[in-house]
Amino acid sequence: MFTFAARFLRSETGIIRVDVKNVLGRDIPAEIENYGRVKPYGGAFRLKPENKLLSSLDEAIEKTGLKDGMTISFHHHFRNGDKVVNLVMEAIRRKGIKDIHIAASGLFPCHDVLVPMVEDGTIRKLTFSTIAKGGLTAAIMDGKFREPCVIQSHGARARAILDGDLHIDVAFIAAPCCDTGGNMCGIGGKSNCGLLSFAYADAAFADKVVAVTDGLTSAGVDSVEISHDHVDYVVEVDSIGDSEGIMYGSTVPSDKPEKLRIAEMVALLLDKSGYIKDGMSFQTGASSIGLSVATYVEKVMKEKGVKGSFCLGGITRYLDGMINEGLFEKAQSVQIFDIDVLKTLSKSLNHIAQGSDRYGNPRNPNALVNFLDIMILGATEVDLDFNVNVITSSSGRIITAPGGHTDCAAGAKIAVVVQESIRRGASTICDRVCCITTPGETVDVLVTELGIAVNPLRQDLVKALEGSGLPLMTIGEMKALADAKATAGAGELKTGGRIVAVVEYRDGSVIDVIRQSATE
Amino acid sequence: MFTFAARFLRSETGIIRVDVKNVLGRDIPAEIENYGRVKPYGGAFRLKPENKLLSSLDEAIEKTGLKDGMTISFHHHFRNGDKVVNLVMEAIRRKGIKDIHIAASGLFPCHDVLVPMVEDGTIRKLTFSTIAKGGLTAAIMDGKFREPCVIQSHGARARAILDGDLHIDVAFIAAPCCDTGGNMCGIGGKSNCGLLSFAYADAAFADKVVAVTDGLTSAGVDSVEISHDHVDYVVEVDSIGDSEGIMYGSTVPSDKPEKLRIAEMVALLLDKSGYIKDGMSFQTGASSIGLSVATYVEKVMKEKGVKGSFCLGGITRYLDGMINEGLFEKAQSVQIFDIDVLKTLSKSLNHIAQGSDRYGNPRNPNALVNFLDIMILGATEVDLDFNVNVITSSSGRIITAPGGHTDCAAGAKIAVVVQESIRRGASTICDRVCCITTPGETVDVLVTELGIAVNPLRQDLVKALEGSGLPLMTIGEMKALADAKATAGAGELKTGGRIVAVVEYRDGSVIDVIRQSATE
């Protein structure tokens, strides 16, 4: 309708300028003083929206510029049901890319197919916060990785990413619900995993971010956990995971008498030391003792009419039940352990999704672990300085990883380690743990079926429990009782091998190393 | 307990290394092959959390390095109740900083105290998406700003920030609820403003971000709208705003017969053209005709048993009521216009907070405006090409700004302009609008009390309405009727003055300019 008409004019300030009519026929200078060059309007739909949707993971690998030696990341909210790690790594191997560093928040036996990729040089190293014993832990112990693997707590991982110590080249994020712009959410598709918490930092700090989804929607995601503005590409695949896999490692409250005795003592200890009170916050993992503790704590809360503030961390059906009963106001959640909890998640105002930075980054003044009253911790071994091993067996082989263990121990007002004093016939209390995961400085109490040992650093707690009638003893006394009960020695520890894994503390310092070993 | 013990060893690879014991007595090499230099563990609490809390805005200005010529930004969710713009600018003036560019999502008469700062050189320029007639609009028209102001829609502002065209040096974000880490939310404090939507892009892209709050909490914000990881500093002040101010510019459904006739015709038009149907989405502003349209649309939806999907944009009590009645599933909200809606916001699962990028950035494939079915638009003038002016009066003086007008017109399936054909005695339909805000290409229908004019570009709509019994006419016919009815001419437009404002379209192109004028 209108044509561009250029005109030369002498302006008041003496500058020759070229005036134009835009397509609507408005007289607009080509350059406006103190504004700059004018981009003339050329129609309402001249700017096309970005297209982030790619046809395959292969295309994503090409577009992101993924190449030899790079660090790529994944989250583990599907736990043993995840399919994305394998899909991506198979595509990377097909392309002949080598020396990849996988920085996954967690890895499970479902990822054992990666072992041949370690052997053929596709993978050089792992960094993880959660792991379950399987092919990958065996590969680490057998020295198959070219470089030492790095083990970090959830908070340590967030800190490392935010501080630039863990630089991620490409983050691949399994997204149950994702729109074409890259907005993502952990629920709302056919394969739900609850939350994407462990991927928030990856999304914000990785050079390139690829959303991998089997729940693509064009209209948009409502409860956006990861915003499109962090996302470069979206790839649709047949299946990102099996929701049932989130139950892996989770269990039910124990009915073993020793474990029930521990759980009962913990509840009494917490009550008598004044931690069970209105506004209390609480975290316990998905171990059978931890869940038993939850049931005993629930009982005390009900008897006393106590209303807590929040449950933290990985949410089980037991914690969810306590929220639904009004015993806690809400869950500050980083992962979901139960498929039943998944089903009601979208309709609940009481589950707040939190990333691992907010959960436990030691640099974050509002890390939720710092507002946690009570933490129930598991252990494979505890030593006389209250140092805790949750990574290796007593023979020094990796069997799990700290998750939020270290973060919560450091942050909680009372951190209680619960374990049976005897495992496989051997005492779990030792002079020196095989691998320090969580320093004794951050551990307040050890409870075994033999009794309660308070860390001497907590004289306030020792005093508060005087005359409580609880079976208090020193950790030395507890060790002597356990040793007397033991029918076997600890696994033989072979030291001196090559370092196969480095255990980083929350601040990135090295708290321990794990050396190659051939024994189980 | 342990001391650092350095040892020199010859490793298998022949490298001399220094081994250390960390404070827990673990033997760890000072350097690990393929890991690098070891930072030895030195205690659980060696890393101190960041302290972002500053004592005053003056300190924030110093710490952010704010200096002459910089661009600073604000959001306008308090509308005419905002206090933060003035507090910050007064502190800037006290420091003698000059030539500031204020890029605020909106400005109101409560900000008239800035006018002397324009005069004394503290402020050189404004960029805004929303404005209300007052001292600042007068200062613009009177040529008081050293540089042309820039007027952008909400979506245009988001695009400009994300694309780097609008670079923000320091964003000051009024935060009703904020923790010491900088997590922010629009509700939960003593001065609520509902949402922080318009500040999301600022938080993500500004060089420095300062949260300004009167609702500081140490424990942490639950419903985080802006995450701490974007925030550099937190400043506590006595009051950030007056919640009542959000009502400014909002009104009640009209009872004027002409306006009711328009609203009724719009509802009939939407119904007969098939837009009132299950799953429909809807936006109308807070104008009296817009609200009247909502009540007529509500009536039709109830009669037909229609359930809509979402309401978009600024949420009034009327839209909130329709959601509560189940007529719409949810609100995709960018701001709240009613204090009653604020009160229930935290308990509602049906209000989804959205940023302006998600709302209307033309580069965003999932911009919600693109999923909008029905948009009801206001206007000060419409011309024969359906171009709409919503910025100036017919005499060319700025009286308001587009907000989401342009974005919704471009995105919605049907964009209906509603206005009375006569304002202050003069016809509102003209040959050529004084300032093009929204191009006719994106406007589908004009409805005045005289009848309905469909844009000839929408032949499908013309066809759908054939035989509907609605008072259809061409826009030329409607103009003739309005002109015959008019008792006064349009305001006299004085052109040729200096350019005082540049109107940018969604893609950053210049759709029009506004020139200095001395007449009201």
Side-chain angles (χ1 to χ4, degrees):
Chain A
M1 210 168 348
F2 296 96
T3 54
F4 286 87
R7 286 183 297 165
F8 289 84
L9 286 179
R10 187 164 296 272
S11 79
E12 288 159 37
T13 54
I15 297 160
I16 302 293
R17 53 177 206 213
V18 184
D19 285 16
V20 297
K21 280 193 198 294
N22 68 17
V23 296
L24 297 172
R26 311 303 281 194
D27 259 317
I28 295 167
E31 184 144 1
I32 298 173
E33 201 181 341
N34 289 319
Y35 173 84
R37 277 189 75 80
V38 163
K39 179 176 149 193
Y41 173 78
F45 302 104
R46 204 169 46 161
L47 177 68
K48 301 285 177 236
E50 276 176 295
N51 176 25
K52 298 183 179 180
L53 202 58
L54 304 182
S55 63
S56 66
L57 286 170
D58 294 76
E59 195 185 355
I61 290 165
E62 288 156 24
K63 285 269 168 72
T64 55
L66 209 164
K67 58 176 196 283
D68 290 2
M70 279 190 169
T71 296
I72 66 174
S73 82
F74 301 95
H75 73 77
H76 75 283
H77 290 276
F78 275 104
R79 299 179 64 82
N80 202 41
D82 173 72
K83 295 183 183 169
V84 168
V85 172
N86 295 350
L87 283 173
V88 170
M89 287 311 303
E90 280 157 8
I92 285 174
R93 179 155 69 166
R94 278 198 301 274
K95 289 196 178 288
I97 297 170
K98 298 288 182 189
D99 291 332
I100 291 298
H101 168 203
I102 297 179
S105 60
L107 292 161
F108 288 83
C110 64
H111 302 122
D112 281 359
V113 297
L114 302 183
V115 174
M117 299 190 208
V118 180
E119 291 160 347
D120 72 12
T122 307
I123 299 168
R124 69 178 156 97
K125 173 183 175 179
L126 302 178
T127 294
F128 55 87
S129 306
T130 294
I131 205 158
K133 193 176 162 183
L136 286 171
T137 57
I140 296 170
M141 296 315 301
D142 296 347
K144 287 191 178 169
F145 284 87
R146 194 159 66 70
E147 299 187 5
C149 294
V150 175
I151 305 174
Q152 305 170 316
S153 69
H154 294 319
R157 182 177 196 271
R159 188 212 58 78
I161 295 172
L162 268 68
D163 287 1
D165 291 346
L166 174 55
H167 177 85
I168 300 166
D169 294 296
V170 188
F172 292 91
I173 301 178
C177 183
C178 183
D179 64 32
T180 49
N183 293 295
M184 294 180 239
C185 177
I187 48 173
K190 67 177 181 183
S191 312
N192 292 326
C193 65
L195 302 165
L196 303 177
S197 302
F198 297 120
Y200 296 177
D202 307 40
F205 287 85
D207 286 348
K208 296 285 176 188
V209 175
V210 181
V212 185
T213 189
D214 59 1
L216 190 70
T217 159
S218 60
V221 174
D222 277 350
S223 301
V224 173
E225 286 193 78
I226 293 174
S227 172
H228 65 95
D229 54 4
H230 291 312
V231 179
D232 299 286
Y233 302 108
V234 177
V235 178
E236 202 176 9
V237 298
D238 288 339
S239 173
I240 59 168
D242 173 4
S243 299
E244 296 283 342
I246 69 166
M247 311 280 280
Y248 189 85
S250 184
T251 177
V252 291
S254 179
D255 56 5
K256 192 175 169 191
E258 289 82 358
K259 290 185 175 182
L260 291 179
R261 178 164 158 70
I262 293 170
E264 190 176 12
M265 270 193 289
V266 171
L268 286 170
L269 159 78
L270 293 172
D271 188 18
K272 289 186 189 287
S273 54
Y275 285 98
I276 297 190
K277 62 178 180 199
D278 281 339
M280 67 184 265
S281 53
F282 182 62
Q283 179 169 345
T284 180
S287 73
S288 64
I289 305 185
L291 295 176
S292 297
V293 170
T295 63
Y296 279 94
V297 165
E298 179 176 356
K299 213 173 127 199
V300 177
M301 289 177 79
K302 281 180 176 169
E303 279 166 12
K304 301 185 72 169
V306 163
K307 303 278 179 207
S309 55
F310 66 89
C311 300
L312 183 65
I315 304 301
T316 58
R317 78 181 74 182
Y318 307 98
L319 292 183
D320 189 53
M322 288 169 85
I323 293 165
N324 293 336
E325 287 188 65
L327 291 174
F328 287 99
E329 202 183 306
K330 62 200 168 196
Q332 302 276 17
S333 317
V334 293
Q335 66 180 312
I336 303 296
F337 282 122
D338 259 309
I339 201 151
D340 291 342
V341 182
L342 273 193
K343 287 174 187 159
T344 55
L345 203 56
S346 68
K347 297 294 170 207
S348 170
L349 270 172
N350 303 322
H351 283 265
I352 320 285
Q354 300 287 3
S356 46
D357 172 25
R358 182 78 190 284
Y359 173 71
N361 180 353
R363 203 184 283 292
N364 185 341
N366 293 90
L368 288 159
V369 296
N370 298 333
F371 298 93
L372 182 61
D373 291 320
I374 301 166
M375 177 68 198
I376 309 302
L377 299 161
T380 61
E381 299 176 308
V382 179
D383 70 23
L384 295 176
D385 292 323
F386 286 85
N387 295 312
V388 177
N389 179 9
V390 284
I391 295 179
T392 74
S393 65
S394 58
S395 59
R397 288 181 72 88
I398 296 170
I399 50 176
T400 176
H405 198 283
T406 329
D407 306 311
C408 291
K413 293 197 182 49
I414 185 165
V416 182
V417 172
V418 291
Q419 68 172 4
E420 291 180 88
S421 70
I422 303 292
R423 189 175 295 122
R424 296 187 183 180
S427 169
T428 58
I429 308 166
C430 53
D431 290 321
R432 203 92 184 94
V433 288
C434 177
C435 172
I436 301 183
T437 310
T438 298
E441 182 185 357
T442 64
V443 172
D444 300 304
V445 192
L446 169 64
V447 180
T448 68
E449 80 288 355
L450 300 171
I452 296 171
V454 177
N455 189 328
L457 292 173
R458 289 297 304 270
Q459 283 304 313
D460 61 317
L461 206 51
V462 171
K463 206 155 191 172
L465 294 170
E466 268 172 15
S468 66
L470 290 171
L472 299 169
M473 59 189 73
T474 67
I475 194 161
E477 289 163 351
M478 194 186 278
K479 180 175 187 308
L481 289 174
D483 288 349
K485 207 175 155 187
T487 55
E492 190 193 353
L493 180 63
K494 293 195 179 171
T495 56
R498 187 164 76 84
I499 292 172
V500 293
V502 176
V503 184
E504 288 186 351
Y505 190 63
R506 305 176 76 209
D507 60 0
S509 65
V510 176
I511 191 165
D512 218 332
V513 292
I514 295 166
R515 290 172 185 274
Q516 188 172 344
S517 121
T519 58
E520 175 62 73
Chain B
M1 206 166 356
F2 295 96
T3 54
F4 285 85
R7 287 184 296 168
F8 288 84
L9 286 178
R10 186 165 296 276
S11 79
E12 289 160 36
T13 54
I15 298 161
I16 301 296
R17 57 179 200 209
V18 184
D19 283 16
V20 297
K21 279 193 197 294
N22 68 17
V23 296
L24 297 171
R26 313 302 283 193
D27 260 317
I28 295 166
E31 185 145 359
I32 298 173
E33 202 181 340
N34 289 319
Y35 173 83
R37 277 189 76 79
V38 164
K39 178 176 149 193
Y41 173 78
F45 302 103
R46 207 169 44 161
L47 177 68
K48 302 286 176 236
E50 275 177 295
N51 176 28
K52 297 183 179 179
L53 202 58
L54 304 183
S55 63
S56 66
L57 286 171
D58 293 77
E59 194 185 356
I61 290 165
E62 288 156 25
K63 284 271 168 71
T64 55
L66 210 163
K67 58 176 196 284
D68 291 0
M70 279 190 168
T71 297
I72 66 174
S73 82
F74 301 95
H75 72 76
H76 75 284
H77 291 275
F78 275 103
R79 300 178 65 81
N80 201 42
D82 174 71
K83 296 183 183 170
V84 168
V85 172
N86 296 351
L87 283 173
V88 170
M89 288 310 302
E90 280 157 9
I92 285 174
R93 179 156 67 166
R94 277 199 301 276
K95 290 196 177 287
I97 298 169
K98 298 288 181 189
D99 291 332
I100 292 297
H101 168 203
I102 297 179
S105 61
L107 292 161
F108 288 82
C110 65
H111 301 121
D112 281 358
V113 298
L114 301 183
V115 174
M117 299 191 209
V118 179
E119 291 160 347
D120 73 12
T122 308
I123 300 168
R124 67 178 157 96
K125 174 183 175 179
L126 301 178
T127 293
F128 56 86
S129 306
T130 294
I131 205 158
K133 193 177 162 184
L136 286 171
T137 57
I140 296 170
M141 296 314 302
D142 296 347
K144 287 190 177 169
F145 284 87
R146 193 159 67 68
E147 299 188 3
C149 294
V150 175
I151 304 174
Q152 306 169 317
S153 69
H154 294 319
R157 182 176 196 272
R159 187 212 59 78
I161 294 172
L162 269 69
D163 286 2
D165 292 346
L166 174 55
H167 176 84
I168 299 166
D169 294 296
V170 187
F172 291 91
I173 302 179
C177 183
C178 182
D179 63 33
T180 48
N183 293 294
M184 292 179 241
C185 176
I187 47 171
K190 66 177 180 182
S191 314
N192 292 324
C193 65
L195 303 165
L196 303 177
S197 303
F198 297 120
Y200 296 176
D202 307 41
F205 287 85
D207 286 349
K208 296 287 176 186
V209 175
V210 181
V212 184
T213 188
D214 58 2
L216 190 70
T217 160
S218 61
V221 174
D222 278 350
S223 300
V224 173
E225 285 193 78
I226 293 175
S227 172
H228 65 95
D229 55 3
H230 291 313
V231 180
D232 298 286
Y233 302 109
V234 177
V235 177
E236 202 175 9
V237 296
D238 287 340
S239 174
I240 59 169
D242 173 5
S243 300
E244 295 283 343
I246 68 167
M247 310 280 280
Y248 190 85
S250 184
T251 179
V252 292
S254 180
D255 56 4
K256 193 177 168 190
E258 288 83 356
K259 290 186 176 181
L260 292 179
R261 179 163 157 72
I262 293 170
E264 190 177 11
M265 270 194 288
V266 171
L268 286 169
L269 158 79
L270 293 172
D271 187 19
K272 289 188 188 285
S273 54
Y275 285 98
I276 296 190
K277 61 179 181 198
D278 282 339
M280 67 183 265
S281 54
F282 182 62
Q283 178 170 344
T284 179
S287 73
S288 63
I289 305 184
L291 295 176
S292 298
V293 171
T295 62
Y296 279 94
V297 166
E298 179 176 356
K299 211 174 128 197
V300 178
M301 289 177 78
K302 282 180 176 169
E303 280 166 13
K304 300 184 74 169
V306 162
K307 303 276 180 207
S309 55
F310 66 89
C311 299
L312 183 63
I315 304 302
T316 58
R317 79 183 72 183
Y318 307 98
L319 293 182
D320 189 54
M322 289 169 84
I323 293 165
N324 293 336
E325 287 189 67
L327 290 174
F328 288 98
E329 202 183 306
K330 63 201 167 194
Q332 303 275 16
S333 316
V334 293
Q335 66 180 313
I336 304 296
F337 283 120
D338 260 307
I339 201 150
D340 291 342
V341 182
L342 273 194
K343 288 174 186 160
T344 54
L345 202 57
S346 68
K347 297 294 172 206
S348 171
L349 270 171
N350 303 321
H351 282 265
I352 320 286
Q354 299 287 2
S356 46
D357 171 26
R358 183 76 191 284
Y359 173 72
N361 180 353
R363 202 183 285 292
N364 185 341
N366 293 89
L368 288 159
V369 296
N370 298 333
F371 299 94
L372 181 62
D373 291 320
I374 301 165
M375 178 67 196
I376 309 301
L377 299 162
T380 61
E381 302 175 306
V382 179
D383 70 23
L384 294 175
D385 292 323
F386 286 83
N387 295 313
V388 177
N389 179 9
V390 283
I391 295 178
T392 73
S393 65
S394 58
S395 60
R397 288 180 71 87
I398 296 171
I399 49 175
T400 177
H405 198 283
T406 329
D407 306 311
C408 292
K413 293 196 180 52
I414 184 166
V416 183
V417 172
V418 291
Q419 68 172 7
E420 292 180 88
S421 70
I422 303 291
R423 188 176 294 123
R424 297 185 183 180
S427 169
T428 58
I429 308 166
C430 52
D431 288 323
R432 203 93 183 93
V433 288
C434 175
C435 172
I436 300 183
T437 310
T438 299
E441 183 185 356
T442 64
V443 172
D444 300 303
V445 191
L446 169 63
V447 181
T448 67
E449 80 288 354
L450 301 171
I452 296 171
V454 177
N455 189 329
L457 292 172
R458 288 296 305 270
Q459 283 304 313
D460 60 321
L461 206 52
V462 171
K463 205 153 192 174
L465 293 171
E466 268 171 15
S468 65
L470 290 170
L472 298 169
M473 59 190 72
T474 68
I475 193 160
E477 289 163 349
M478 194 184 280
K479 181 177 187 304
L481 289 175
D483 288 348
K485 208 175 154 188
T487 55
E492 189 193 352
L493 181 63
K494 292 195 178 172
T495 55
R498 186 164 76 83
I499 292 172
V500 293
V502 176
V503 184
E504 288 187 353
Y505 190 64
R506 306 177 74 210
D507 60 0
S509 64
V510 176
I511 192 165
D512 216 333
V513 292
I514 295 166
R515 290 173 186 273
Q516 187 173 344
S517 121
T519 58
E520 175 62 73

